[in-house]
Amino acid sequence: MNGEAIIGANIQVKGTTNGTITDIEGNFSIQAGPKSVLEVSYIGYLKQEVVLSNQKSLRIILKEDTKTLDEVVVIGYGVQKKADLTGSVANINTEKLNTQSNANIGQALQGKIAGVDIVSQGGAPGAGARIMVHGIGTLNNAAPLYIVDGMYMTSIDHINPNDIASIDVLKDASSAAIYGSRAANGVIIVTTKEGSNTEGKPIIDFSVNLGVSTASKFLDMLDAKGWAEVTTIAREAIGKPALDMAIDLANKPDNDWQDIMFRPALMQNYNVSVKGGGKYSTYYTGLGYFNQDGVIKGTNYQRYNFQTKNDFKKGFFSAGTNLILSFSHDKPLHEESRGGMIGTILQNVPTLEKYDDSHVGGYGGTYGDIANLPNPLAMVDSNIMDRYNENVKIFANLYAQIGFFKGLKYKLNLTPDFTFERYKKYVNKYDFGLNTNTVTQLTERQRRRRNILVENLLTFDRTFGDHKISALAGYTYQDSRYRHLQAYGESLPDGLEEIDSATLNRSNEGNSWRSVLTSILGRIFYSYQNKYLFTATIRRDGSSKFGKDNRYGYFPSFSVGWNIAEEKFMKNIGWLDQLKLRGGYGVLGNQEIDNYQYSSTITTGINYPDGNGGLIQGAFPKDFANPEIKWEETAMTNIGIDFLALHNRLSLTADWYVKNTKDILLTVPIPISSGGANDPIRNAGKIRNTGFEFNLGWIDQPNKDISYGVNLIGSFNKNKVIAMGTESGSIKGGSTNQNITTSETKAGYPIGGYWLISTAGYFNSQSEIDAYAKDGQKIQPAAQPGDIKFVDADQNGVINDGDRVYQGSPFPDFTFALNGNIRYKNFDLSIGLQGVTGNKIYNATRQTLEDVTKGTNFLASTLDYWTPQNQNAAHPRLTWDDPNRNTRAESDRYLEDGSYIRLRSIQLGYTFPQQWFNGTIQNARVYFNAENLFTITGYSGYSPDVNTDNANYRGFDNFIYPNNRVFMLGLNVTF
């Protein structure tokens, strides 16, 4: 190109292993006979074939490969070339995701896209991931909008990763505003695989992978001897005898309940797909089966997937259908209030018998001054406690498109979807000592959702010389309906698990709702000489979730781009392939609240005294409402740069953004004296997110046998509450098992920031206790040597909630990932590192397991307790009553650094040579994959991946399910 010499270009005689590379001046020599074909390739240029005759010298000119710029990405209601993008849009295809080795696509995306925060929701079978785009800008549902082949979804965890072709993320307002009220949290667009013209011959893909998962970490708990020592010393400190279950250890078991309840778990994943087509029609059909046992006994998740996609196009008319079905069922964990199943496993004492035939149900039980926890083994015995979840999801899309004249098209989309859920919980009679159940119980629940979306779209796309114009206009209508039914009954005959067979306390409940959203939308894109780009969108949404005076919201945006590399003054810079500046501004909406919040519910049958000893029947507004509630609005500014150089080998995409959300829909507390059963919602609050993100990459192919790539992804984000509209000025969260809050959302600080009482070591003597005084009065009068010293921040002489100070944010300052891959001949290796810094985690698990005032098991760290001879101990003095409240949940003692770096995945693969199969197999690859091999962190809990759907509980670890370490072997074959 431009007459420049190319160093290291690959020259090979086609069909042979005879090859060489060019030298520093672009020269090469090779022996080849007449009619031989030379294959010339170099990264960043189109591969070229040269047929030889009798030449002794050649001058070969390679053409630059512009496919990187010509690649299209999916945007709202259409596609666009990467070179024409003016908004912040990330694109990734499944070749870079290793989707075959992941249970769901959220896990595969972790660490792959800048500005997209993905946190695992634990290692439970079928558990998904929580995804946030450009930080958190609301106190309501912060999940992005998911669109799969034009079908709107609240999650993509049920989608078969094997069916996915590419994923596009609309990160800023200018790119997402076309979706208006649904796009405030970003938009993730999933495009599934489709058929192609194979001249009638089908292409069959088959994949299978089998794996084993284990808990990535165990907590160090006390054995029988250590537990007996800790509890006995703590009780002796207040004059109480040793626990009955802590004496005569020689005749009692020493059970490690983690070792008993955790196991290596099998994972299976099978997929087969067929695709093909002819001149006018194409098809794709995929089948998938996924089966995952939990690392905790008795838990399992299974998912069946089916997709069929058909497209027809002839002349100016095209039409198609797309059907996605998923059926899943799982056995969820027991819902024990004190930490769930994980809490029960960790808190049960080591001297608890596993089995006892003398007890109803056949399991060991507790006795004495011990917490009345159930036996963990019984909780996973389906004869004692049986739990079952079942979900059926059906999504369909039918479309027809007509082209009127050049560039103008009309498209009709009809998208119905249905969801059916069923839950069942059966509890038999049992005797666990202090925890008993004398009557059988059955709960059944069914939920049904139906949604219909109709979209009418008119598009225009033409190029006139140096001018390119694309336009979109549309009208959409969406109708969503939901129904819930639940029944409960007790005292069922043995072996009969039906509500009708219950003879005691039968009850039922049910409710339903309907919501409608109508929208008018438009977008125009203009390009001049592919250098100057402009995009503008507008969407008007009307939602039934708001009253008639606030029902409609308007969401505009605009963005501009400048392809600097296309300017004449840049043409002589041969190493530069792309340099584009872009920026945009837009407004997005959010309506993620329950239905009918603008209208009160009236309860009848209320009796009032008439003052004469009689009663008058009346009515009362049970549920208070606010008819003035309106849309949340998020205004976002984004400035970015796209850079490609050295023949597309070096790439950089970077974005800076600020996102301001106002009129946040908040639940505002009202006095109990009002008599209402709920707190109404109002628009009150402002939040700001600022951030910077980048994706720096390098790819190269030094010769025909070796290619490699590496990319570094980083995201900085800060969220800050600008204003709160509640009377108290804050929303509390992070409630422990003792109902003590640990976090607050308040103006001037991050969402869910930790507000805790600071600690200052131990009191090592009585004189230190006496000296810690205010106006002659001890600040901690109940303290003794070995107790914790708490900081009197407000200096009022009393340790109370007034001493709480801001201690940090649960959201990381910086999220990063380093991904690399290398291919040598038929071998390939990929590796992914991922981590976060700057966030805090409140370890409520440790707070519970270090509380030595009750009859449960404790962390092994409690053995390192304070004594006059051990004043640098990890734990304060042992005492059963804790008068100083050393284990108070509102102290910073349980706040830990959440930073970590993890080897997220490593995969080694081998692609078999095609000549081995004589044309019967097009491609065959075998691979070994490992996930979560190690995590470097200072956090003491199971995993620093601590997440929840509630923004005020982010980073709050209350007996989370541990992450799994997974080893998997897989095979992919294409026929």
Side-chain angles (χ1 to χ4, degrees):
M1 182 178 180
N2 297 328
E4 296 177 357
I6 296 180
I7 306 169
N10 294 301
I11 316 294
Q12 185 173 1
V13 179
K14 187 174 182 178
T16 74
T17 58
N18 181 20
T20 185
I21 60 174
T22 57
D23 60 22
I24 194 170
E25 295 179 349
N27 298 320
F28 70 94
S29 62
I30 191 171
Q31 292 184 352
K35 298 184 179 181
S36 296
V37 178
L38 294 185
E39 294 179 329
V40 185
S41 62
Y42 187 69
I43 194 165
Y45 292 88
L46 293 173
K47 186 176 182 179
Q48 189 173 148
E49 292 187 355
V50 179
V51 180
L52 300 181
S53 54
N54 295 312
Q55 305 104 310
K56 292 186 179 180
S57 65
L58 292 171
R59 177 177 172 82
I60 301 173
I61 300 176
L62 297 181
K63 295 181 179 179
E64 188 172 6
D65 184 0
T66 61
K67 69 178 181 179
T68 301
L69 302 180
D70 291 336
E71 286 179 0
V72 297
V73 298
V74 180
I75 57 175
Y77 303 104
V79 297
Q80 193 171 38
K81 289 170 59 174
K82 281 186 177 181
D84 292 339
L85 284 175
T86 55
S88 180
V89 180
N91 169 268
I92 188 167
N93 59 51
T94 51
E95 293 177 358
K96 300 178 180 179
L97 292 179
N98 296 331
T99 52
Q100 297 92 343
S101 60
N102 287 273
N104 63 68
I105 197 63
Q107 296 172 351
L109 281 172
Q110 191 173 35
K112 298 296 194 302
I113 302 177
V116 179
D117 181 26
I118 301 175
V119 182
S120 169
Q121 291 187 308
R130 181 167 170 78
I131 301 176
M132 290 193 307
V133 179
H134 277 182
I136 181 169
T138 181
L139 299 179
N140 297 296
N141 182 3
L145 170 65
Y146 298 97
I147 301 175
V148 179
D149 293 339
M151 296 174 278
Y152 292 27
M153 302 181 184
T154 57
S155 169
I156 52 175
D157 290 338
H158 63 283
I159 298 296
N160 185 1
N162 193 68
D163 290 332
I164 295 175
S166 66
I167 297 174
D168 298 87
V169 182
L170 313 185
K171 296 188 287 186
D172 70 333
S174 63
S175 61
I178 196 68
Y179 293 108
S181 63
R182 312 172 186 193
N185 302 314
V187 182
I188 295 179
I189 302 177
V190 176
T191 303
T192 62
K193 297 175 181 177
E194 58 187 17
S196 59
N197 184 358
T198 59
E199 299 180 350
K201 181 180 179 182
I203 297 175
I204 302 173
D205 286 302
F206 172 75
S207 68
V208 57
N209 53 61
L210 303 173
V212 175
S213 56
T214 61
S216 58
K217 180 181 178 180
F218 281 176
L219 299 186
D220 191 9
M221 304 297 296
L222 292 173
D223 60 11
K225 180 181 177 182
W227 177 73
E229 177 184 338
V230 169
T231 56
T232 300
I233 292 175
R235 291 173 65 83
E236 287 178 347
I238 62 169
K240 286 192 173 185
L243 292 167
D244 293 340
M245 294 188 72
I247 59 176
D248 191 21
L249 296 182
N251 295 310
K252 289 183 171 63
D254 185 1
N255 288 321
D256 182 340
W257 285 105
Q258 286 182 104
D259 186 60
I260 293 168
M261 297 303 300
F262 286 81
R263 63 178 180 182
L266 180 65
M267 182 186 299
Q268 308 170 65
N269 196 2
Y270 305 91
N271 294 282
V272 62
S273 66
V274 182
K275 67 178 181 180
K279 183 178 180 180
Y280 299 116
S281 64
T282 61
Y283 64 89
Y284 172 87
T285 299
L287 288 167
Y289 172 67
F290 178 76
N291 187 331
Q292 182 182 19
D293 288 330
V295 295
I296 294 180
K297 291 179 178 178
T299 56
N300 173 264
Y301 171 82
Q302 296 184 57
R303 185 184 68 228
Y304 303 82
N305 290 95
F306 171 76
Q307 179 175 10
T308 180
K309 197 173 186 180
N310 299 273
D311 296 283
F312 172 83
K313 183 177 182 180
K314 186 174 182 181
F316 60 85
F317 178 77
S318 61
T321 61
N322 190 359
L323 179 65
I324 297 177
L325 304 177
S326 74
F327 169 72
S328 65
H329 59 87
D330 67 291
K331 295 177 69 66
L333 294 173
H334 179 68
E335 300 165 355
E336 169 66 30
S337 60
R338 288 165 294 191
M341 185 68 187
I342 302 296
T344 301
I345 292 171
L346 294 174
Q347 292 180 83
N348 258 293
V349 301
T351 56
L352 172 67
E353 294 283 357
K354 290 189 287 186
Y355 305 101
D356 189 336
D357 292 337
S358 66
H359 286 184
V360 177
Y363 290 93
T366 54
Y367 52 90
D369 192 7
I370 293 291
N372 61 338
L373 291 166
N375 188 302
L377 284 168
M379 293 168 67
V380 297
D381 184 345
S382 59
N383 294 316
I384 304 295
M385 299 181 183
D386 190 21
R387 296 165 302 282
Y388 182 83
N389 263 331
E390 185 177 280
N391 287 272
V392 177
K393 297 185 178 183
I394 305 171
F395 292 86
N397 173 254
L398 300 90
Y399 78 89
Q401 181 172 279
I402 299 175
F404 294 109
F405 55 85
K406 189 173 182 180
L408 182 65
K409 298 177 182 178
Y410 166 75
K411 185 176 184 181
L412 171 65
N413 278 320
L414 177 62
T415 307
D417 65 78
F418 308 88
T419 300
F420 306 93
E421 301 177 15
R422 178 173 175 257
Y423 170 78
K424 177 182 176 182
K425 178 183 177 182
Y426 174 76
V427 181
N428 207 339
K429 300 175 184 178
Y430 60 77
D431 177 9
F432 303 149
L434 300 176
N435 188 312
T436 62
N437 183 53
T438 59
V439 60
T440 53
Q441 304 164 12
L442 178 65
T443 301
E444 283 208 54
R445 179 175 67 234
Q446 292 188 11
R447 292 173 177 168
R448 182 174 71 243
R449 293 179 177 86
R450 188 221 71 184
N451 178 70
I452 294 178
L453 173 67
V454 181
E455 297 175 319
N456 296 273
L457 305 172
L458 194 65
T459 59
F460 178 76
D461 193 349
R462 285 286 299 274
T463 299
F464 304 93
D466 291 334
H467 307 274
K468 183 190 299 182
I469 298 176
S470 296
L472 165 72
Y475 171 79
T476 73
Y477 172 86
Q478 184 171 11
D479 187 338
S480 302
R481 305 189 186 199
Y482 166 88
R483 177 167 291 278
H484 162 87
L485 294 172
Q486 182 168 305
Y488 172 82
E490 296 180 351
S491 189
L492 294 82
D494 291 342
L496 190 58
E497 299 180 14
E498 298 292 343
I499 291 292
D500 279 354
S501 66
T503 59
L504 294 175
N505 298 327
R506 285 172 58 174
S507 64
N508 58 73
E509 65 180 48
N511 58 71
S512 65
W513 55 254
R514 180 188 182 190
S515 68
V516 174
L517 184 72
T518 63
S519 306
I520 300 173
L521 56 96
R523 178 178 62 216
I524 186 167
F525 166 77
Y526 171 74
S527 169
Y528 177 67
Q529 293 185 342
N530 294 323
K531 291 188 289 188
Y532 311 112
L533 317 171
F534 174 78
T535 304
T537 65
I538 181 69
R539 179 161 176 147
R540 176 183 183 263
D541 283 335
S543 172
S544 63
K545 290 189 175 183
F546 303 104
K548 61 180 181 179
D549 295 332
N550 298 296
R551 186 151 289 170
Y552 295 96
Y554 296 84
F555 308 103
S557 77
F558 73 90
S559 56
V560 295
W562 180 23
N563 275 320
I564 303 174
E566 297 297 320
E567 295 287 357
K568 292 181 180 179
F569 59 81
M570 302 292 289
K571 288 300 183 181
N572 292 326
I573 305 178
W575 54 267
L576 181 65
D577 302 302
Q578 183 191 33
L579 178 61
K580 180 172 66 176
L581 295 179
R582 49 184 168 77
Y585 172 83
V587 178
L588 306 169
N590 195 335
Q591 57 156 359
E592 294 301 318
I593 57 173
D594 291 336
N595 292 281
Y596 317 122
Q597 295 297 306
Y598 61 87
S599 178
S600 296
T601 301
I602 305 298
T603 299
T604 59
I606 303 297
N607 297 325
Y608 296 86
D610 61 5
N612 297 316
L615 294 175
I616 301 174
Q617 287 191 346
F620 182 79
K622 179 182 177 182
D623 292 332
F624 289 136
N626 178 6
E628 302 302 320
I629 56 174
K630 58 183 180 180
W631 300 87
E632 280 187 14
E633 286 191 358
T634 297
M636 186 174 180
T637 301
N638 191 97
I639 298 174
I641 183 173
D642 299 319
F643 172 80
L644 285 170
L646 303 177
H647 310 304
N648 298 333
R649 287 181 294 182
L650 178 65
S651 63
L652 171 67
T653 298
D655 286 89
W656 170 87
Y657 61 88
V658 57
K659 182 165 70 171
N660 291 303
T661 304
K662 67 175 183 177
D663 295 329
I664 295 174
L665 293 160
L666 297 177
T667 300
V668 180
I670 58 175
I672 298 176
S673 60
S674 66
N678 73 304
D679 296 325
I681 287 179
R682 80 178 194 189
N683 297 95
K686 297 180 180 179
I687 296 173
R688 175 176 297 157
N689 272 267
T690 57
F692 173 75
E693 64 194 44
F694 64 89
N695 187 336
L696 179 64
W698 174 267
I699 58 173
D700 198 4
Q701 184 178 352
N703 57 59
K704 64 183 180 65
D705 292 330
I706 297 177
S707 63
Y708 67 93
V710 62
N711 75 303
L712 175 65
I713 295 172
S715 303
F716 297 88
N717 179 268
K718 284 285 188 181
N719 74 74
K720 183 179 180 180
V721 179
I722 305 301
M724 293 288 289
T726 64
E727 284 78 359
S728 62
S730 71
I731 297 177
K732 299 182 184 296
S735 295
T736 66
N737 295 332
Q738 301 84 31
N739 290 321
I740 296 175
T741 61
T742 59
S743 67
E744 287 187 60
T745 297
K746 60 196 306 183
Y749 297 91
I751 296 173
Y754 292 110
W755 290 80
L756 303 166
I757 300 173
S758 299
T759 55
Y762 300 127
F763 291 115
N764 289 318
S765 65
Q766 186 61 44
S767 61
E768 292 182 7
I769 298 172
D770 296 340
Y772 192 46
K774 173 76 172 180
D775 299 329
Q777 299 294 320
K778 295 179 185 177
I779 294 176
Q780 293 179 236
Q784 296 184 30
D787 282 336
I788 293 175
K789 179 180 180 180
F790 297 100
V791 176
D792 182 21
D794 61 2
Q795 299 182 0
N796 68 348
V798 180
I799 302 299
N800 55 25
D801 279 348
D803 298 309
R804 293 184 185 230
V805 295
Y806 176 68
Q807 303 267 13
S809 170
F811 297 94
D813 296 330
F814 181 53
T815 302
F816 62 92
L818 180 64
N819 302 298
N821 63 83
I822 185 170
R823 177 195 62 82
Y824 176 70
K825 293 186 176 179
N826 289 38
F827 290 94
D828 61 88
L829 175 69
S830 63
I831 186 170
L833 295 168
Q834 176 256 337
V836 303
T837 63
N839 61 308
K840 297 290 185 180
I841 298 175
Y842 183 87
N843 195 340
T845 302
R846 182 162 70 90
Q847 191 270 332
T848 300
L849 296 180
E850 287 187 350
D851 184 359
V852 296
T853 65
K854 58 189 187 307
T856 63
N857 199 12
F858 313 116
L859 289 169
S861 59
T862 55
L863 273 175
D864 183 19
Y865 51 87
W866 186 95
T867 66
Q869 296 77 33
N870 186 27
Q871 295 186 355
N872 293 319
H875 196 272
R877 71 184 181 97
L878 299 177
T879 177
W880 196 256
D881 60 350
D882 191 18
N884 190 57
R885 294 194 59 213
N886 291 323
T887 56
R888 68 178 74 206
E890 66 270 28
S891 85
D892 68 353
R893 187 156 181 255
Y894 307 103
L895 191 67
E896 303 184 31
D897 183 7
S899 303
Y900 71 88
I901 182 171
R902 170 179 295 146
L903 180 54
R904 175 71 181 84
S905 65
I906 183 169
Q907 184 174 117
L908 177 64
Y910 178 77
T911 301
F912 297 100
Q914 288 188 4
Q915 55 265 35
W916 288 12
F917 307 109
N918 296 321
T920 58
I921 294 177
Q922 296 184 30
N923 184 70
R925 177 177 178 266
V926 64
Y927 65 89
F928 173 77
N929 190 82
E931 297 178 5
N932 298 332
L933 284 183
F934 66 81
T935 301
I936 301 173
T937 181
Y939 182 61
S940 65
Y942 274 131
S943 170
D945 283 47
V946 179
N947 202 0
T948 176
D949 290 334
N950 190 327
N952 291 300
Y953 282 76
R954 171 76 182 248
F956 184 78
D957 180 357
N958 190 26
F959 294 104
I960 65 168
Y961 199 113
N963 269 345
N964 300 329
R965 182 176 291 116
V966 182
F967 301 93
M968 187 171 294
L969 186 65
L971 173 68
N972 305 115
V973 181
T974 300
F975 298 93

